[in-house]
Amino acid sequence: MLNIKGFSLSRENEKFMLINDMFIRSGMKVNIFGNNDTGRSLLLRSIHGDFYGFGGKIEIKDKPILFYKKKKKTILLENTSHLLINESVWKNIIIPLPKVTARQKQNIMELCMISKLSDKIGKKINTLSSSSKKFIELIRAVIQLPQIILIDDLENYFDDKNIVTALEICNFALNSGASVITTSKRKLENFDVYYRIQDSKVVKL
Amino acid sequence: MKKGIFFQIIVIFFILLGWNLLHIGYDFQKDLFERNISSLPMMVLSMQENTLEQVKIRIEKKDYIEDIIIIQDSVIAQTLISNYDLVEGNEILRSYILPTAMQINFRGEIFQIEQKQELDKILLEYSPGVIHYFDDQRWQIDQNKISLLTKAYYAGFGIFIIFMMFIAILLRVHFEMKNDHFWKIFHSSGGNYRKRGTQYFINSIYICLIPLILNLAIYYTIRYMQLLSVKIDYKIFGIEILTIIISSVFAAITLREHLK
């Protein structure tokens, strides 16, 4: 599904985040880990089509990311939270949905139950913890069944127990053929594929 | 419907209401002055009835002529006798040769400077056999009033266009910018990238049509109930909706980076 070839980022004439060849199939959970300032966030933004200052080629389903400019099939969960703080959990989850079907409603309730948000569904966002807020963003992404869910710095919001919960939520989209790509500072458990960033290169483990 | 859109519809409705009141006020006042002109007849006198008939034939088809009445000399004598109680002087009056009179009534809305000059020119051709009396001073005063009223109306009309555009663009940009945060979250959360543009277009239709339809409904209700004698030209409603549409287009141009 995702095919990256000859990818590189540049900073002051110095290339970093070099990827010779990366192919990620649908339904895969991928963890890319490495230190700070290695270009993890820029890689995710490049795949998402928010950043074009890279070298090489990125294709999703054999089409360049430029093709998806106005009809994005990826959802990026960045470090900063993208929520309406004065609105309820429910409202924040359904923001991008044109219409909430009975099936979607049921799925949302199930996912909220997994993330222990079911009793807070009517509460305003500003009363919730940062991990709960990230769960809301994750449920919102998952429920739309995109081709790829990109999560930057997964460990920033979740402890090990919550990471397991987050992956359980991701399974909903994974079962429908989506892929999940996460970045982190350390290697996380329960992923299908791992890439390590070392010496400015991305290496498959 | 969002509160912001509702608020804009209300504001534009009231501006349109004021604008339509301007048209009604202008038409009403102009109608009053024109009726004053219509009530000013011109009396044309001649000793030869034939000459008056010729004048009548020449001018009766003019669009500014309401009607022409030729009054025979005998009728004039009779009118004078009865009006001034001159029964005793009846015989004396009958011994005089009185002129035949022609009363010309005008259509006030058409009888303006150009038309008056044309009529004066025609009557001049028949002088000195024909003399005419007309209250030029009153006619001129009414013409001046109409001219001033029209100037004031056009100025008001222009001000309303500018005011409408200013308020409509200002409110539109304000409420769109207020929603900018929502749309950023909407897009970043995976929402359809075209949704904002589509929503802007739908809201524009609401903003353009609802206030105008409400104004039209009020206008036709009042007309139906025969509470209003003057008519608003359809073109005026066209100009009004065009102004709101142009405002929406200008607001869209201002917001183009946000609507993408």
Side-chain angles (χ1 to χ4, degrees), chain A residues 39-116:
Chain A
R40 290 170 303 168
S41 301
L42 277 180
L43 171 64
L44 295 190
R45 283 182 59 203
S46 302
I47 297 170
H48 188 53
D50 269 359
F51 179 76
Y52 293 97
F54 62 84
K57 194 169 73 174
I58 301 175
E59 286 179 343
I60 298 170
K61 287 200 170 173
D62 298 328
K63 288 194 174 72
I65 46 160
L66 210 60
F67 175 81
Y68 298 99
K69 200 180 175 187
K70 293 264 171 179
K71 39 190 171 182
K72 281 196 171 24
K73 300 288 181 192
T74 55
I75 294 176
L76 172 64
L77 272 66
E78 290 175 295
N79 268 320
T80 48
S81 141
H82 289 280
L83 295 165
L84 298 170
I85 53 162
N86 289 318
E87 298 290 349
S88 67
V89 172
W90 175 258
K91 179 77 193 283
N92 273 282
I93 292 172
I94 63 159
I95 286 172
L97 303 177
K99 206 188 268 183
V100 187
T101 62
R103 178 80 187 216
Q104 278 175 324
K105 197 174 176 182
Q106 191 190 340
N107 290 335
I108 292 169
M109 293 312 290
E110 279 173 21
L111 295 170
C112 283
M113 205 173 283
I114 294 170
S115 55
K116 298 184 180 68

Side-chain angles (χ1 to χ4, degrees), chain A residues 112-198:
Chain A
C112 283
M113 205 173 283
I114 294 170
S115 55
K116 298 184 180 68
L117 279 170
S118 49
D119 56 334
K120 298 168 189 164
I121 203 94
K123 279 191 179 173
K124 281 189 178 177
I125 292 292
N126 52 11
T127 58
L128 302 179
S129 67
S130 61
S131 65
S132 295
K133 286 178 187 170
K134 219 61 197 175
F135 272 131
I136 293 166
E137 285 190 64
L138 190 60
I139 293 169
R140 189 169 67 188
V142 157
I143 204 78
Q144 295 175 75
L145 303 174
Q147 287 174 352
I148 306 171
I149 299 171
L150 306 156
I151 311 169
D152 197 14
D153 277 335
L154 185 68
E155 77 211 300
N156 265 12
Y157 332 97
F158 302 129
D159 54 23
D160 289 342
K161 198 180 156 192
N162 275 343
I163 287 175
V164 174
T165 311
L167 290 176
E168 202 179 330
I169 291 168
C170 287
N171 278 337
F172 177 82
L174 288 163
N175 293 338
S176 301
S179 303
V180 175
I181 302 173
T182 66
T183 62
S184 59
K185 283 189 274 297
R186 63 181 172 87
K187 188 182 175 190
L188 302 173
E189 285 178 11
N190 300 315
F191 281 83
D192 303 318
V193 183
Y194 291 95
Y195 285 91
R196 170 185 276 173
I197 307 165
Q198 59 182 37

Side-chain angles (χ1 to χ4, degrees), chain B:
Chain B
M1 197 184 291
K2 290 253 170 82
K3 279 180 199 166
I5 300 298
F6 184 71
F7 179 74
Q8 287 177 72
I9 287 171
I10 296 291
V11 170
I12 289 171
F13 164 75
F14 279 110
I15 297 173
L16 282 183
L17 197 68
W19 198 348
N20 288 326
L21 284 175
L22 175 80
H23 308 313
I24 291 168
Y26 166 71
D27 282 342
F28 187 79
Q29 197 57 47
K30 194 166 168 255
D31 195 43
L32 210 68
F33 293 144
E34 285 168 354
R35 262 187 278 148
N36 281 350
I37 292 172
S38 298
S39 67
L40 291 177
M42 180 181 273
M43 294 305 294
V44 184
L45 303 173
S46 178
M47 298 308 281
Q48 284 104 30
E49 198 182 327
N50 281 351
T51 315
L52 287 184
E53 286 290 349
Q54 282 172 32
V55 175
K56 186 187 173 189
I57 290 164
R58 223 174 132 184
I59 63 170
E60 68 184 349
K61 293 279 163 64
K62 304 282 182 192
D63 56 355
Y64 52 86
I65 304 290
E66 179 71 45
D67 57 30
I68 299 171
I69 307 158
I70 292 182
I71 309 159
Q72 309 291 338
D73 51 353
S74 57
V75 178
I76 294 174
Q78 198 53 50
T79 310
L80 287 170
I81 290 160
S82 62
N83 282 359
Y84 299 101
D85 198 19
L86 301 172
V87 184
E88 287 170 9
N90 195 353
E91 287 307 312
I92 304 166
L93 203 56
R94 281 187 194 283
S95 66
Y96 283 102
I97 304 162
L98 290 171
T100 303
M102 183 166 77
Q103 183 181 322
I104 307 170
N105 293 314
F106 300 104
R107 291 175 65 191
E109 69 274 23
I110 304 173
F111 190 59
Q112 292 168 3
I113 295 167
E114 213 176 289
Q115 288 73 19
K116 190 171 178 299
Q117 280 174 345
E118 186 192 347
L119 185 64
D120 285 342
K121 207 175 154 189
I122 293 167
L123 292 173
L124 198 65
E125 288 174 26
Y126 294 92
S127 72
V130 167
I131 52 167
H132 68 275
Y133 297 96
F134 185 63
D135 195 344
D136 286 299
Q137 202 182 350
R138 245 186 86 187
W139 176 83
Q140 191 59 54
I141 288 168
D142 284 328
Q143 284 298 329
N144 289 346
K145 280 179 183 174
I146 289 174
S147 166
L148 193 69
L149 181 75
T150 307
K151 277 180 193 164
Y153 170 70
Y154 283 126
F157 196 88
I159 288 167
F160 260 106
I161 290 178
I162 294 165
F163 183 64
M164 171 66 91
M165 288 186 79
F166 177 73
I167 293 293
I169 294 171
L170 190 81
L171 287 179
R172 204 72 206 277
V173 172
H174 168 75
F175 282 108
E176 282 298 329
M177 292 307 286
K178 211 177 162 189
N179 282 335
D180 217 31
H181 180 61
F182 167 83
W183 288 110
K184 272 182 186 162
I185 289 170
F186 177 84
H187 289 144
S188 68
S189 66
N192 188 339
Y193 263 69
R194 295 180 204 280
K195 180 78 193 295
R196 191 174 189 183
T198 313
Q199 197 59 53
Y200 183 89
F201 181 71
I202 293 166
N203 289 342
S204 297
I205 292 173
Y206 288 147
I207 289 170
C208 290
L209 290 183
I210 296 174
L212 191 77
I213 289 169
L214 287 175
N215 267 276
L216 281 170
I218 292 170
Y219 169 69
Y220 281 110
T221 308
I222 296 171
R223 289 270 308 161
Y224 180 74
M225 293 165 80
Q226 294 179 336
L227 296 171
L228 192 67
S229 56
V230 293
K231 270 187 182 177
I232 298 178
D233 192 345
Y234 290 118
K235 283 181 210 155
I236 299 291
F237 295 120
I239 292 168
E240 287 175 355
I241 195 163
L242 203 67
T243 308
I244 311 171
I245 290 170
I246 290 169
S247 307
S248 282
V249 172
F250 272 120
I253 292 167
T254 312
L255 293 162
R256 63 191 178 279
E257 287 303 319
H258 299 266
L259 297 177
K260 274 181 184 171

